[in-house]
Amino acid sequence: QQQLDDAKEKVTECERESKSALEALEEERTKTARLEKEIQDEKKRAQEAIERAKDAEEMATEREQQQLDDAKEKVTECERESKSALEALEEERTKTARLEKEIQDEKKRAQEAIERAKDAEEMATEREQQQLDDA
């Protein structure tokens, strides 16, 4: 009976850990989705800045040239920010993949614990039946 109780407790603990890992995975997925949105916004901003830069290049005056230089600087800054966001996204995806693997491992361990608990219950029932038969 103690082994059965221990096995049930392990199953419950595994289920809690799995639930916790699933919640963490959902948080990571939410972060990843937010990062992907930010990257799309950054790409759009960069594209708009590039288009503004191209328009500015067509102008000939010194003032327009200064505006062009400013636009190029903004494009460079946007590209740096986009690259940084892409790197952060890749890190998030790596974390998400790792969490998904951990969750699968936890599910497998929980299933194994459930099977062990069922086996233990069956053995206990068989022992009780044997004791009743012997008595």
Side-chain angles (χ1 to χ4, degrees):
Q1 182 62 35
Q2 181 60 40
Q3 290 176 341
L4 176 60
D5 290 345
D6 290 347
K8 286 181 179 179
E9 185 177 324
K10 287 181 182 178
V11 167
T12 301
E13 184 179 323
C14 283
E15 289 172 343
R16 275 195 306 270
E17 290 174 1
S18 290
K19 182 179 178 185
S20 175
L22 284 170
E23 289 169 354
L25 172 61
E26 187 59 36
E27 288 176 16
E28 290 302 319
R29 285 184 175 158
T30 300
K31 288 177 187 177
T32 299
R34 181 181 45 77
L35 285 172
E36 287 174 341
K37 170 83 171 77
E38 287 177 15
I39 287 168
Q40 289 303 317
D41 292 346
E42 289 299 321
K43 285 181 178 180
K44 183 178 177 183
R45 282 181 43 204
Q47 186 59 40
E48 290 170 355
I50 289 169
E51 290 171 10
R52 287 192 308 270
K54 287 179 182 178
D55 290 343
E57 286 174 343
E58 295 172 3
M59 300 175 187
T61 66
E62 226 176 313
R63 192 186 96 209
E64 291 164 344
Q65 186 61 44
Q66 183 58 49
Q67 290 174 342
L68 172 62
D69 294 343
D70 292 345
K72 285 181 179 179
E73 185 177 319
K74 286 180 183 178
V75 167
T76 301
E77 182 179 332
C78 285
E79 289 172 343
R80 277 195 303 268
E81 290 173 0
S82 292
K83 181 179 179 184
S84 176
L86 284 169
E87 290 170 354
L89 172 62
E90 189 57 36
E91 289 176 14
E92 289 300 321
R93 285 184 174 158
T94 300
K95 288 178 188 175
T96 298
R98 181 182 46 78
L99 283 173
E100 288 173 342
K101 171 80 171 77
E102 288 177 14
I103 286 168
Q104 290 304 316
D105 292 346
E106 287 298 325
K107 284 181 180 179
K108 183 179 178 183
R109 282 194 287 271
Q111 187 58 41
E112 291 169 356
I114 289 168
E115 290 172 13
R116 286 193 305 273
K118 285 179 182 178
D119 290 345
E121 286 175 347
E122 289 175 11
M123 287 174 49
T125 302
E126 289 173 10
R127 275 196 305 253
E128 289 173 4
Q129 186 60 46
Q130 184 63 40
Q131 289 173 352
L132 288 174
D133 292 343
D134 292 344

